[in-house]
Amino acid sequence: MLHLQQFETFPAHVLLQGQPGEIQVDYEGLLELKNVRVELDIQMSGEEYFCQGNVMSLVKLECARCLGAFERELVNRTDFIISDRESYDARAKEAIDDEDYAFFEGSDLAVDLSDIVRQAILLAISMKPLCSDDCRGLCPACGVNLNVTACQCRAEKTDARWDALKKLTDN
Ligand SMILES: [Zn+2]
Ligand SMILES: [Zn+2]
C-alpha cells in the first residue's frame, strides 16, 4: 500500500517492502514468492501521478524441463499512472488509452498497488521457466533427472547412433 500523502514534494522516490503473503500470484510453476519490493519514481502532473520503477521479488519456481525447484531474483520494470477513479471514469468515456492505472482513495491518498505488482511479477516469470539454460530435463523413457544422473536408456541411444555411423563407414 502506497500513501501519496506522505510526500511533501514531487518528484518523489520511494522503496516499498511488501508484507509476507500480501501479494498472491496465480501461476502454476510458482512454488513460493517472497521479499516483494517496489521502487518508484513518482512525478505529479495535475491530478495524476506518473510512476516508473522496478518490481523485485524472490521466487521459487518449478523448472519446465526437469521439474526441479530453483530460486531466482526477479526484476521487472513497471510504468503506470495513479489517478482518482472518478476523473478516470469520466475521461475513459472519451478516450481509451493503454496505460496501466492505479487509483487513490481516502484522505491519505492510499493506493493499492497489488494488481500492478502482480502483473509485473507475472511478466517477469518467463513462459517456460528453466533452472538453467542448458537444463537437460528428464529422460523421456525412464523419467530420471538427467542433470543429476545419467541413465541406461541414454547410453543405448548413444550406442545406436554409433552403430549407424559404423554402418556408414563400413560401406
Ligand atoms: Zn531444469
Ligand atoms: Zn532413461
Side-chain angles (χ1 to χ4, degrees):
M1 196 62 93
L2 170 68
H3 298 273
L4 289 171
Q5 194 70 354
Q6 68 179 292
F7 305 112
E8 283 168 12
T9 55
F10 288 94
H13 185 85
V14 68
L15 178 65
L16 302 162
Q17 177 85 44
Q19 299 301 309
E22 189 182 343
I23 303 288
Q24 306 280 347
V25 176
D26 200 14
Y27 180 84
E28 211 187 289
L30 182 63
L31 308 173
E32 208 179 325
L33 171 67
K34 54 189 176 185
N35 202 11
V36 177
R37 285 143 294 148
V38 184
E39 192 177 22
L40 290 176
D41 284 310
I42 309 171
Q43 284 274 9
M44 191 182 177
S45 167
E47 295 287 290
E48 293 188 320
Y49 301 84
F50 290 79
C51 304
Q52 276 189 326
N54 285 305
V55 174
M56 295 149 287
S57 60
L58 189 65
V59 293
K60 191 186 270 184
L61 291 165
E62 186 184 79
C63 175
R65 230 178 253 167
C66 72
L67 307 181
F70 63 98
E71 285 202 342
R72 186 159 294 167
E73 173 84 26
L74 295 182
V75 181
N76 202 31
R77 296 280 307 159
T78 186
D79 191 334
F80 59 95
I81 299 168
I82 301 172
S83 170
D84 85 278
R85 200 175 282 275
E86 277 171 36
S87 67
Y88 173 80
D89 286 346
R91 216 157 22 81
K93 281 174 194 135
E94 298 155 23
I96 297 163
D97 56 37
D98 54 6
E99 299 285 347
D100 287 324
Y101 278 87
F103 302 99
F104 55 77
E105 282 169 66
S107 56
D108 66 344
L109 307 181
V111 188
D112 181 0
L113 294 178
S114 32
D115 281 342
I116 298 275
V117 172
R118 199 174 296 125
Q119 227 179 79
I121 293 172
L122 264 173
L123 285 171
I125 303 175
S126 64
M127 288 297 283
K128 274 185 186 279
L130 297 178
C131 62
S132 86
D133 283 339
D134 50 6
C135 168
R136 298 155 120 168
L138 302 176
C139 170
C142 72
V144 118
N145 185 341
L146 297 172
N147 298 308
V148 186
T149 40
C151 64
Q152 218 47 45
C153 4
R154 197 172 176 81
E156 276 164 29
K157 232 188 248 165
T158 317
D159 286 346
R161 239 180 286 156
W162 279 115
D163 286 348
L165 250 174
K166 240 174 104 188
K167 249 178 237 163
L168 279 176
T169 45
D170 285 350
N171 287 342

